[in-house]
Amino acid sequence: QVQLVDSGGGLVQTGGSLRLSCAASGRTADIVSMAWFRQAPGKERVSVATIGWFTGITSYADSVKGRFAISRASAKNTVYLQMNSLKSEDTAVYFCAARNSGQGRYSNWGQGTQVTVSS
């Protein structure tokens, strides 16, 4: 079992920046990929960015390419999401997630952190 604690959300104006953090604990040796998802009110939870835990290979949703950056500090078992040039449509609850070896989906989730972008 992997436990995730995400943090760093808050209220920011349009064009501003925030950095989210996700600290993993427990069976972290099983992690092969981590990701950030977000869920806006009345909408489904969608993937924003992913990173290979060992490879460092990243991928992004088209809506955040060039503005968001996912990174990891393996020694700290921590993943970050740097969010720049924030827009009102980025307002959502952001969730950190981890996928374990042998699993085809993300099954470990953080509690979520609210990001609100005001115009």
Coordinates of all heavy atoms in Angstrom, one line a residue, residues 7-110:
S7 N -0.4 18.6 -1.4 CA -0.5 19.9 -0.7 C -0.1 21.0 -1.7 O 0.4 20.7 -2.8 CB 0.3 20.0 0.5 OG 1.7 19.8 0.2
G8 N -0.3 22.3 -1.3 CA 0.2 23.4 -2.1 C -0.9 24.2 -2.8 O -0.6 25.2 -3.5
G9 N -2.1 23.7 -2.7 CA -3.2 24.5 -3.4 C -3.5 25.8 -2.8 O -2.9 26.1 -1.7
G10 N -4.3 26.6 -3.4 CA -4.7 27.8 -2.8 C -5.4 28.7 -3.8 O -5.8 28.2 -4.9
L11 N -5.5 30.0 -3.5 CA -6.2 31.0 -4.3 C -5.1 31.8 -5.0 O -4.2 32.4 -4.3 CB -7.1 31.8 -3.5 CG -7.8 33.0 -4.2 CD1 -8.7 32.5 -5.3 CD2 -8.5 33.9 -3.2
V12 N -5.2 31.9 -6.3 CA -4.2 32.7 -7.1 C -5.0 33.5 -8.2 O -6.0 33.0 -8.7 CB -3.2 31.8 -7.6 CG1 -3.7 30.8 -8.6 CG2 -2.0 32.6 -8.2
Q13 N -4.4 34.6 -8.6 CA -5.0 35.4 -9.7 C -4.6 34.8 -11.0 O -3.6 34.1 -11.2 CB -4.6 36.8 -9.6 CG -5.2 37.6 -8.4 CD -4.9 39.0 -8.4 OE1 -3.9 39.5 -8.9 NE2 -5.8 39.8 -7.8
T14 N -5.4 35.1 -12.0 CA -5.1 34.7 -13.4 C -3.7 35.2 -13.8 O -3.3 36.3 -13.5 CB -6.1 35.3 -14.4 OG1 -7.4 34.9 -14.0 CG2 -5.8 34.9 -15.8
G15 N -2.9 34.2 -14.3 CA -1.6 34.5 -14.7 C -0.5 34.2 -13.6 O 0.7 34.2 -13.9
G16 N -1.0 33.8 -12.5 CA -0.1 33.5 -11.4 C 0.4 32.1 -11.4 O 0.1 31.4 -12.4
S17 N 1.1 31.7 -10.4 CA 1.8 30.4 -10.3 C 1.5 29.8 -9.0 O 1.3 30.4 -7.9 CB 3.3 30.5 -10.5 OG 3.6 31.1 -11.8
L18 N 1.5 28.4 -9.0 CA 1.4 27.6 -7.8 C 2.3 26.4 -8.0 O 2.5 25.9 -9.1 CB 0.0 27.2 -7.4 CG -0.9 28.2 -6.8 CD1 -2.3 27.5 -6.7 CD2 -0.4 28.6 -5.4
R19 N 2.8 25.8 -6.9 CA 3.5 24.5 -7.0 C 2.8 23.6 -6.0 O 2.8 23.8 -4.8 CB 5.0 24.7 -6.6 CG 5.7 23.4 -6.9 CD 7.2 23.5 -6.7 NE 7.6 23.3 -5.3 CZ 8.8 22.9 -4.9 NH1 9.7 22.5 -5.8 NH2 9.0 22.8 -3.6
L20 N 2.4 22.5 -6.5 CA 1.8 21.4 -5.7 C 2.8 20.4 -5.4 O 3.7 20.1 -6.2 CB 0.6 20.7 -6.5 CG -0.5 21.7 -7.0 CD1 -1.6 20.8 -7.7 CD2 -1.1 22.5 -5.9
S21 N 2.7 19.8 -4.2 CA 3.6 18.7 -3.8 C 2.8 17.5 -3.4 O 1.7 17.6 -3.0 CB 4.4 19.2 -2.6 OG 5.2 20.3 -2.9
C22 N 3.4 16.3 -3.6 CA 2.8 15.1 -3.3 C 3.9 14.2 -2.7 O 4.9 13.8 -3.3 CB 2.2 14.4 -4.5 SG 1.6 12.7 -4.2
A23 N 3.7 13.9 -1.4 CA 4.7 13.0 -0.7 C 4.1 11.6 -0.6 O 3.0 11.4 -0.1 CB 4.9 13.6 0.7
A24 N 5.0 10.7 -1.0 CA 4.6 9.3 -1.0 C 5.3 8.5 0.2 O 6.4 8.8 0.5 CB 4.9 8.6 -2.3
S25 N 4.6 7.6 0.8 CA 5.1 6.8 1.8 C 4.6 5.4 1.7 O 3.6 5.1 1.0 CB 4.8 7.4 3.2 OG 3.4 7.5 3.4
G26 N 5.1 4.5 2.5 CA 4.6 3.1 2.5 C 5.5 2.3 1.5 O 6.7 2.5 1.4
R27 N 4.8 1.5 0.6 CA 5.5 0.6 -0.3 C 5.9 1.4 -1.6 O 5.5 1.1 -2.7 CB 4.7 -0.6 -0.7 CG 4.4 -1.5 0.5 CD 3.5 -2.6 0.1 NE 4.1 -3.5 -0.9 CZ 4.9 -4.5 -0.6 NH1 5.2 -4.8 0.7 NH2 5.4 -5.3 -1.6
T28 N 6.8 2.4 -1.4 CA 7.1 3.3 -2.5 C 8.0 2.6 -3.6 O 8.1 3.0 -4.7 CB 7.9 4.5 -2.0 OG1 9.0 4.1 -1.3 CG2 7.0 5.4 -1.2
A29 N 8.6 1.5 -3.2 CA 9.4 0.7 -4.1 C 8.6 0.1 -5.2 O 9.1 -0.3 -6.3 CB 10.2 -0.4 -3.4
D30 N 7.3 0.0 -5.0 CA 6.4 -0.6 -6.0 C 5.9 0.4 -7.0 O 5.3 0.0 -8.0 CB 5.1 -1.1 -5.3 CG 5.4 -2.3 -4.4 OD1 6.5 -2.9 -4.6 OD2 4.6 -2.6 -3.5
I31 N 6.2 1.7 -6.8 CA 5.7 2.8 -7.7 C 6.4 2.7 -9.0 O 7.7 2.7 -9.1 CB 5.8 4.1 -7.1 CG1 4.9 4.2 -5.8 CG2 5.4 5.2 -8.1 CD1 5.1 5.5 -5.0
V32 N 5.7 2.8 -10.2 CA 6.3 2.9 -11.5 C 6.0 4.2 -12.2 O 6.6 4.6 -13.1 CB 6.0 1.7 -12.4 CG1 6.6 0.4 -11.8 CG2 4.5 1.6 -12.6
S33 N 4.9 4.8 -11.8 CA 4.4 6.0 -12.4 C 3.6 6.8 -11.4 O 2.9 6.3 -10.6 CB 3.6 5.7 -13.6 OG 3.1 6.9 -14.2
M34 N 3.7 8.2 -11.5 CA 2.9 9.0 -10.7 C 2.3 10.1 -11.6 O 2.8 10.4 -12.7 CB 3.7 9.7 -9.6 CG 4.2 8.7 -8.6 SD 4.8 9.4 -7.0 CE 3.4 10.0 -6.3
A35 N 1.2 10.7 -11.1 CA 0.5 11.6 -12.0 C -0.3 12.6 -11.1 O -0.5 12.4 -9.9 CB -0.5 10.8 -12.8
W36 N -0.7 13.7 -11.8 CA -1.6 14.6 -11.2 C -2.9 14.6 -12.1 O -2.8 14.7 -13.3 CB -1.0 16.0 -11.2 CG 0.0 16.2 -10.2 CD1 1.4 16.1 -10.3 CD2 -0.2 16.6 -8.8 NE1 2.0 16.4 -9.2 CE2 1.1 16.6 -8.2 CE3 -1.3 16.8 -8.0 CZ2 1.3 17.0 -6.8 CZ3 -1.1 17.1 -6.7 CH2 0.1 17.2 -6.1
F37 N -4.0 14.5 -11.4 CA -5.3 14.6 -12.0 C -6.0 15.8 -11.4 O -5.6 16.4 -10.4 CB -6.2 13.4 -11.6 CG -5.8 12.1 -12.3 CD1 -4.6 11.4 -12.0 CD2 -6.6 11.5 -13.3 CE1 -4.2 10.2 -12.6 CE2 -6.2 10.3 -13.9 CZ -5.0 9.7 -13.6
R38 N -7.0 16.2 -12.1 CA -7.9 17.3 -11.5 C -9.3 17.1 -11.8 O -9.7 16.4 -12.8 CB -7.4 18.7 -12.1 CG -7.7 18.9 -13.5 CD -7.1 20.3 -13.9 NE -7.4 20.6 -15.3 CZ -6.8 21.7 -16.0 NH1 -6.0 22.5 -15.3 NH2 -7.1 21.9 -17.2
Q39 N -10.2 17.6 -11.0 CA -11.6 17.5 -11.1 C -12.2 18.8 -10.8 O -12.2 19.3 -9.7 CB -12.1 16.4 -10.2 CG -13.6 16.1 -10.4 CD -14.0 14.8 -9.7 OE1 -13.4 14.3 -8.8 NE2 -15.1 14.2 -10.2
A40 N -12.8 19.4 -11.9 CA -13.6 20.6 -11.7 C -15.0 20.3 -11.3 O -15.5 19.2 -11.6 CB -13.6 21.4 -13.0
P41 N -15.7 21.2 -10.7 CA -17.1 21.0 -10.3 C -18.0 20.5 -11.4 O -18.0 21.1 -12.5 CB -17.6 22.4 -9.8 CG -16.3 23.1 -9.4 CD -15.3 22.6 -10.3
G42 N -18.7 19.4 -11.2 CA -19.6 18.9 -12.2 C -18.9 18.2 -13.4 O -19.6 17.8 -14.3
K43 N -17.6 18.0 -13.3 CA -16.9 17.3 -14.4 C -16.1 16.1 -13.9 O -16.0 15.9 -12.7 CB -15.9 18.3 -15.0 CG -16.6 19.5 -15.7 CD -15.6 20.3 -16.5 CE -16.2 21.5 -17.2 NZ -15.3 22.3 -18.0
E44 N -15.7 15.3 -14.8 CA -15.0 14.1 -14.5 C -13.5 14.4 -14.1 O -13.0 15.4 -14.5 CB -15.0 13.1 -15.7 CG -16.3 12.5 -16.0 CD -16.3 11.5 -17.1 OE1 -15.2 11.3 -17.7 OE2 -17.3 10.8 -17.3
R45 N -12.9 13.5 -13.4 CA -11.5 13.6 -13.0 C -10.7 13.3 -14.2 O -10.9 12.2 -14.9 CB -11.2 12.7 -11.9 CG -9.8 12.9 -11.3 CD -9.6 12.0 -10.1 NE -10.6 12.2 -9.0 CZ -10.5 11.7 -7.8 NH1 -9.5 10.8 -7.5 NH2 -11.4 12.0 -6.9
V46 N -9.8 14.1 -14.6 CA -8.9 13.9 -15.8 C -7.5 14.0 -15.5 O -7.1 14.8 -14.5 CB -9.3 14.9 -16.9 CG1 -10.7 14.7 -17.4 CG2 -9.1 16.4 -16.4
S47 N -6.7 13.3 -16.2 CA -5.2 13.4 -16.0 C -4.7 14.7 -16.6 O -5.0 15.2 -17.6 CB -4.6 12.2 -16.8 OG -3.2 12.3 -16.7
V48 N -3.8 15.3 -15.8 CA -3.1 16.5 -16.2 C -1.7 16.3 -16.6 O -1.2 16.8 -17.6 CB -3.2 17.5 -15.0 CG1 -2.3 18.8 -15.3 CG2 -4.6 17.9 -14.7
A49 N -1.0 15.5 -15.8 CA 0.5 15.2 -16.1 C 0.9 13.9 -15.5 O 0.3 13.5 -14.4 CB 1.3 16.4 -15.6
T50 N 1.8 13.2 -16.1 CA 2.3 12.0 -15.6 C 3.8 12.0 -15.7 O 4.4 12.7 -16.5 CB 1.8 10.7 -16.4 OG1 2.3 10.7 -17.7 CG2 0.3 10.7 -16.5
I51 N 4.4 11.2 -14.8 CA 5.9 11.0 -14.9 C 6.3 9.6 -14.5 O 5.7 9.0 -13.5 CB 6.6 12.0 -13.9 CG1 8.1 12.0 -14.1 CG2 6.2 11.8 -12.5 CD1 8.8 13.2 -13.4
G52 N 7.2 9.0 -15.3 CA 7.7 7.7 -15.0 C 8.6 7.8 -13.8 O 9.5 8.6 -13.8
W53 N 8.4 6.9 -12.8 CA 9.1 7.1 -11.5 C 10.6 6.8 -11.7 O 11.4 7.5 -11.1 CB 8.5 6.1 -10.5 CG 9.0 6.4 -9.1 CD1 9.8 5.5 -8.3 CD2 8.8 7.5 -8.3 NE1 10.0 6.1 -7.1 CE2 9.4 7.3 -7.1 CE3 8.2 8.7 -8.5 CZ2 9.4 8.3 -6.1 CZ3 8.2 9.7 -7.5 CH2 8.8 9.4 -6.3
F54 N 10.9 5.9 -12.6 CA 12.4 5.5 -12.8 C 12.9 6.2 -14.1 O 14.1 6.6 -14.1 CB 12.5 4.0 -12.9 CG 12.1 3.3 -11.7 CD1 10.9 2.5 -11.7 CD2 12.9 3.3 -10.6 CE1 10.6 1.8 -10.6 CE2 12.5 2.6 -9.4 CZ 11.3 1.9 -9.4
T55 N 12.1 6.4 -15.1 CA 12.5 7.0 -16.3 C 12.5 8.5 -16.3 O 13.3 9.1 -17.1 CB 11.6 6.5 -17.5 OG1 10.3 7.0 -17.3 CG2 11.6 5.0 -17.5
G56 N 11.6 9.1 -15.6 CA 11.4 10.5 -15.6 C 10.7 11.0 -16.8 O 10.6 12.2 -17.0
I57 N 10.2 10.1 -17.6 CA 9.5 10.5 -18.9 C 8.2 11.1 -18.5 O 7.4 10.6 -17.7 CB 9.3 9.3 -19.8 CG1 10.7 8.8 -20.3 CG2 8.4 9.7 -21.0 CD1 10.6 7.5 -21.1
T58 N 7.9 12.3 -19.1 CA 6.7 13.0 -18.7 C 5.7 13.1 -19.9 O 6.1 13.0 -21.0 CB 7.0 14.5 -18.3 OG1 7.7 15.1 -19.4 CG2 7.9 14.5 -17.0
S59 N 4.4 13.3 -19.5 CA 3.4 13.6 -20.5 C 2.4 14.5 -19.9 O 2.2 14.6 -18.7 CB 2.7 12.3 -21.0 OG 2.0 11.7 -19.9
Y60 N 1.7 15.3 -20.8 CA 0.8 16.4 -20.4 C -0.4 16.4 -21.2 O -0.4 16.1 -22.4 CB 1.5 17.7 -20.5 CG 2.7 17.9 -19.6 CD1 4.0 17.6 -20.1 CD2 2.6 18.3 -18.3 CE1 5.1 17.7 -19.4 CE2 3.8 18.5 -17.5 CZ 5.0 18.2 -18.1 OH 6.1 18.3 -17.3
A61 N -1.5 16.8 -20.5 CA -2.7 17.1 -21.3 C -2.5 18.3 -22.1 O -1.7 19.2 -21.8 CB -3.9 17.3 -20.3
D62 N -3.1 18.3 -23.3 CA -2.9 19.5 -24.2 C -3.3 20.8 -23.5 O -2.7 21.8 -23.8 CB -3.8 19.3 -25.4 CG -3.3 18.2 -26.4 OD1 -2.1 17.8 -26.2 OD2 -4.1 17.7 -27.2
S63 N -4.2 20.8 -22.6 CA -4.7 22.0 -22.0 C -3.6 22.7 -21.1 O -3.8 23.9 -20.8 CB -6.0 21.8 -21.2 OG -5.7 20.8 -20.2
V64 N -2.6 21.9 -20.7 CA -1.6 22.5 -19.8 C -0.2 22.5 -20.4 O 0.7 23.0 -19.7 CB -1.6 21.7 -18.4 CG1 -3.0 21.7 -17.8 CG2 -1.1 20.3 -18.6
K65 N 0.0 22.0 -21.6 CA 1.3 21.9 -22.2 C 1.9 23.3 -22.3 O 1.2 24.3 -22.7 CB 1.2 21.3 -23.6 CG 1.2 19.8 -23.5 CD 1.2 19.2 -25.0 CE 1.1 17.7 -24.9 NZ 0.9 17.1 -26.3
G66 N 3.1 23.4 -21.9 CA 3.8 24.7 -21.9 C 3.6 25.6 -20.7 O 4.3 26.6 -20.5
R67 N 2.6 25.2 -19.8 CA 2.4 26.0 -18.6 C 2.6 25.2 -17.4 O 3.1 25.8 -16.4 CB 0.9 26.4 -18.6 CG 0.5 27.2 -19.8 CD -0.9 27.8 -19.6 NE -1.9 26.7 -19.5 CZ -2.8 26.6 -18.5 NH1 -2.7 27.4 -17.5 NH2 -3.7 25.6 -18.5
F68 N 2.4 23.9 -17.4 CA 2.6 23.1 -16.2 C 3.9 22.2 -16.4 O 4.2 21.8 -17.5 CB 1.4 22.1 -16.0 CG 0.2 22.8 -15.5 CD1 0.0 24.2 -15.5 CD2 -0.9 22.1 -15.0 CE1 -1.1 24.8 -15.1 CE2 -2.1 22.7 -14.6 CZ -2.2 24.1 -14.6
A69 N 4.5 21.9 -15.3 CA 5.7 21.0 -15.3 C 5.6 20.0 -14.1 O 5.5 20.5 -13.0 CB 7.0 21.8 -15.3
I70 N 5.7 18.7 -14.4 CA 5.7 17.7 -13.4 C 7.2 17.3 -13.2 O 7.9 17.2 -14.2 CB 4.8 16.5 -13.7 CG1 4.7 15.5 -12.6 CG2 5.3 15.8 -15.0 CD1 3.7 14.5 -12.8
S71 N 7.6 17.1 -12.0 CA 8.9 16.6 -11.7 C 8.9 15.8 -10.4 O 7.9 15.7 -9.7 CB 9.8 17.9 -11.5 OG 9.4 18.6 -10.4
R72 N 10.0 15.1 -10.2 CA 10.1 14.2 -9.0 C 11.4 14.4 -8.3 O 12.4 14.7 -8.9 CB 9.9 12.8 -9.4 CG 11.1 12.1 -10.1 CD 10.8 11.0 -10.9 NE 11.9 10.2 -11.3 CZ 12.9 10.6 -12.2 NH1 12.9 11.8 -12.6 NH2 13.8 9.7 -12.5
A73 N 11.4 14.2 -7.0 CA 12.6 14.1 -6.2 C 12.6 12.7 -5.6 O 12.0 12.5 -4.5 CB 12.6 15.2 -5.1
S74 N 13.2 11.8 -6.3 CA 13.1 10.4 -5.9 C 13.6 10.1 -4.5 O 13.0 9.3 -3.7 CB 13.8 9.5 -6.9 OG 13.3 9.6 -8.2
A75 N 14.6 10.8 -4.1 CA 15.2 10.6 -2.8 C 14.2 11.0 -1.7 O 14.3 10.5 -0.5 CB 16.5 11.4 -2.6
K76 N 13.3 11.9 -2.0 CA 12.3 12.4 -1.1 C 11.0 11.7 -1.3 O 10.0 12.0 -0.6 CB 12.2 13.9 -1.2 CG 13.4 14.7 -0.8 CD 13.1 16.2 -1.0 CE 14.3 17.0 -0.6 NZ 14.1 18.5 -0.7
N77 N 10.9 10.8 -2.3 CA 9.6 10.2 -2.6 C 8.5 11.3 -2.8 O 7.4 11.1 -2.3 CB 9.2 9.2 -1.5 CG 10.0 8.0 -1.5 OD1 10.5 7.5 -2.5 ND2 10.3 7.5 -0.3
T78 N 8.9 12.3 -3.5 CA 8.0 13.5 -3.7 C 7.9 13.8 -5.2 O 8.9 13.8 -5.9 CB 8.5 14.7 -2.9 OG1 8.5 14.3 -1.5 CG2 7.5 15.9 -3.1
V79 N 6.7 14.2 -5.6 CA 6.4 14.6 -6.9 C 5.8 16.0 -6.8 O 5.0 16.3 -5.9 CB 5.4 13.7 -7.7 CG1 4.9 14.3 -9.0 CG2 6.0 12.4 -7.9
Y80 N 6.2 16.9 -7.8 CA 5.7 18.2 -7.8 C 5.0 18.5 -9.1 O 5.2 17.9 -10.1 CB 6.9 19.2 -7.7 CG 7.8 18.9 -6.5 CD1 9.0 18.2 -6.6 CD2 7.5 19.5 -5.3 CE1 9.8 17.9 -5.6 CE2 8.3 19.2 -4.2 CZ 9.4 18.5 -4.3 OH 10.2 18.2 -3.2
L81 N 4.1 19.5 -9.0 CA 3.5 20.1 -10.2 C 3.6 21.6 -10.2 O 3.0 22.2 -9.3 CB 2.0 19.7 -10.3 CG 1.3 20.1 -11.6 CD1 1.9 19.3 -12.8 CD2 -0.2 19.9 -11.5
Q82 N 4.5 22.1 -11.0 CA 4.6 23.6 -11.1 C 3.6 24.1 -12.1 O 3.6 23.6 -13.3 CB 6.1 23.9 -11.6 CG 6.3 25.4 -11.8 CD 6.2 26.2 -10.4 OE1 6.8 25.7 -9.4 NE2 5.6 27.3 -10.5
M83 N 2.8 25.0 -11.7 CA 1.7 25.5 -12.5 C 1.9 27.0 -12.8 O 1.9 27.8 -11.8 CB 0.4 25.3 -11.9 CG 0.1 23.8 -11.5 SD -1.6 23.5 -10.9 CE -1.5 24.4 -9.4
N84 N 2.2 27.4 -14.0 CA 2.4 28.8 -14.4 C 1.3 29.3 -15.3 O 0.6 28.5 -15.9 CB 3.8 28.9 -15.0 CG 4.9 28.5 -14.2 OD1 4.9 28.7 -12.9 ND2 5.9 27.9 -14.8
S85 N 1.2 30.6 -15.4 CA 0.2 31.2 -16.3 C -1.2 30.6 -16.1 O -1.8 30.2 -17.1 CB 0.7 31.0 -17.8 OG 1.9 31.5 -18.0
L86 N -1.6 30.5 -14.9 CA -2.8 29.9 -14.5 C -4.0 30.7 -15.1 O -4.0 31.9 -15.2 CB -2.9 29.8 -13.0 CG -2.1 28.6 -12.4 CD1 -1.9 28.8 -10.9 CD2 -2.8 27.3 -12.7
K87 N -5.0 29.9 -15.5 CA -6.2 30.4 -16.1 C -7.4 30.0 -15.2 O -7.3 29.1 -14.4 CB -6.4 29.8 -17.5 CG -5.3 30.0 -18.4 CD -5.5 29.3 -19.7 CE -4.4 29.5 -20.7 NZ -4.6 28.7 -22.0
S88 N -8.5 30.7 -15.4 CA -9.7 30.4 -14.5 C -10.1 28.9 -14.8 O -10.6 28.3 -13.8 CB -10.8 31.3 -14.9 OG -11.2 31.3 -16.2
E89 N -9.9 28.4 -16.0 CA -10.3 27.0 -16.3 C -9.5 26.0 -15.6 O -9.7 24.8 -15.7 CB -10.4 26.8 -17.8 CG -9.2 27.2 -18.5 CD -9.3 28.6 -19.2 OE1 -9.8 29.5 -18.5 OE2 -8.9 28.7 -20.3
D90 N -8.4 26.4 -15.0 CA -7.5 25.5 -14.2 C -8.1 25.3 -12.8 O -7.6 24.4 -12.1 CB -6.1 26.0 -14.1 CG -5.4 26.1 -15.4 OD1 -5.5 25.2 -16.2 OD2 -4.7 27.1 -15.6
T91 N -9.1 26.0 -12.4 CA -9.7 25.9 -11.1 C -10.3 24.4 -11.0 O -11.1 24.0 -11.8 CB -10.9 26.9 -10.9 OG1 -10.3 28.2 -10.9 CG2 -11.6 26.6 -9.6
A92 N -9.9 23.7 -9.9 CA -10.3 22.4 -9.7 C -9.7 21.8 -8.4 O -8.8 22.5 -7.8 CB -9.8 21.5 -10.9
V93 N -10.1 20.7 -8.0 CA -9.4 19.9 -7.0 C -8.3 19.1 -7.7 O -8.7 18.3 -8.6 CB -10.3 19.1 -6.1 CG1 -9.5 18.3 -5.1 CG2 -11.4 19.9 -5.5
Y94 N -7.1 19.2 -7.3 CA -6.0 18.4 -7.9 C -5.6 17.3 -7.0 O -5.5 17.4 -5.7 CB -4.8 19.3 -8.1 CG -5.0 20.3 -9.2 CD1 -5.9 21.3 -9.2 CD2 -4.3 20.1 -10.4 CE1 -6.1 22.2 -10.2 CE2 -4.4 21.0 -11.5 CZ -5.3 22.0 -11.4 OH -5.5 22.8 -12.5
F95 N -5.5 16.1 -7.6 CA -5.2 14.9 -6.9 C -3.9 14.3 -7.4 O -3.7 14.2 -8.6 CB -6.3 13.8 -7.1 CG -7.6 14.2 -6.6 CD1 -8.5 14.9 -7.4 CD2 -8.0 13.9 -5.3 CE1 -9.8 15.3 -6.9 CE2 -9.3 14.2 -4.8 CZ -10.2 14.9 -5.6
C96 N -3.1 13.9 -6.5 CA -1.9 13.1 -6.8 C -2.3 11.6 -6.9 O -3.1 11.2 -6.1 CB -0.9 13.3 -5.7 SG 0.6 12.3 -5.8
A97 N -1.6 10.9 -7.8 CA -1.9 9.4 -7.9 C -0.7 8.6 -8.2 O 0.3 9.2 -8.8 CB -3.0 9.2 -9.0
A98 N -0.6 7.4 -7.8 CA 0.5 6.5 -8.1 C 0.0 5.2 -8.7 O -1.0 4.7 -8.3 CB 1.3 6.3 -6.8
R99 N 0.8 4.7 -9.6 CA 0.5 3.4 -10.2 C 1.6 2.5 -9.8 O 2.8 2.8 -10.0 CB 0.4 3.5 -11.7 CG 0.0 2.2 -12.4 CD -0.3 2.5 -13.9 NE 0.8 3.0 -14.7 CZ 1.7 2.3 -15.2 NH1 1.7 1.0 -15.1 NH2 2.7 2.9 -15.9
N100 N 1.2 1.3 -9.4 CA 2.2 0.3 -8.9 C 2.6 -0.7 -10.0 O 1.9 -0.8 -11.0 CB 1.7 -0.5 -7.7 CG 1.5 0.3 -6.5 OD1 2.0 1.5 -6.4 ND2 0.8 -0.2 -5.5
S101 N 3.7 -1.3 -9.8 CA 4.2 -2.3 -10.8 C 3.1 -3.4 -11.0 O 2.5 -3.8 -10.0 CB 5.5 -2.9 -10.3 OG 5.9 -4.0 -11.1
G102 N 2.8 -3.7 -12.2 CA 1.8 -4.8 -12.5 C 0.4 -4.3 -12.6 O -0.5 -5.1 -12.9
Q103 N 0.2 -3.0 -12.3 CA -1.1 -2.4 -12.4 C -1.3 -1.6 -13.6 O -0.4 -0.9 -14.0 CB -1.4 -1.6 -11.2 CG -1.5 -2.4 -9.9 CD -1.9 -1.5 -8.7 OE1 -1.9 -0.3 -8.8 NE2 -2.3 -2.2 -7.6
G104 N -2.4 -1.6 -14.2 CA -2.7 -0.9 -15.4 C -3.4 0.5 -15.2 O -3.6 1.2 -16.1
R105 N -3.7 0.7 -13.9 CA -4.3 2.0 -13.6 C -3.8 2.6 -12.3 O -3.1 1.9 -11.6 CB -5.8 1.8 -13.5 CG -6.2 0.8 -12.4 CD -7.7 0.5 -12.3 NE -8.0 -0.4 -11.3 CZ -8.2 -0.1 -10.0 NH1 -8.1 1.2 -9.6 NH2 -8.5 -1.0 -9.1
Y106 N -4.1 3.8 -12.1 CA -3.7 4.5 -10.9 C -4.6 4.1 -9.8 O -5.8 4.3 -9.9 CB -3.6 6.0 -11.1 CG -2.5 6.4 -12.0 CD1 -2.7 6.5 -13.3 CD2 -1.3 6.7 -11.5 CE1 -1.7 6.9 -14.2 CE2 -0.2 7.1 -12.3 CZ -0.4 7.2 -13.7 OH 0.6 7.6 -14.5
S107 N -4.1 3.5 -8.7 CA -4.9 3.0 -7.7 C -4.7 3.6 -6.3 O -5.4 3.2 -5.3 CB -4.8 1.4 -7.6 OG -3.4 1.1 -7.3
N108 N -3.6 4.4 -6.2 CA -3.3 5.1 -5.0 C -3.5 6.6 -5.2 O -3.0 7.1 -6.1 CB -1.9 4.8 -4.6 CG -1.6 3.4 -4.5 OD1 -1.9 2.7 -3.5 ND2 -0.9 2.8 -5.5
W109 N -4.3 7.2 -4.2 CA -4.7 8.6 -4.4 C -4.4 9.4 -3.2 O -4.6 9.0 -2.1 CB -6.2 8.6 -4.7 CG -6.5 8.0 -6.0 CD1 -6.8 6.7 -6.3 CD2 -6.6 8.7 -7.3 NE1 -7.0 6.5 -7.6 CE2 -6.9 7.7 -8.3 CE3 -6.4 10.0 -7.8 CZ2 -7.0 8.0 -9.6 CZ3 -6.5 10.3 -9.1 CH2 -6.8 9.3 -10.0
G110 N -4.1 10.7 -3.4 CA -4.0 11.6 -2.4 C -5.4 12.2 -2.0 O -6.4 11.8 -2.7

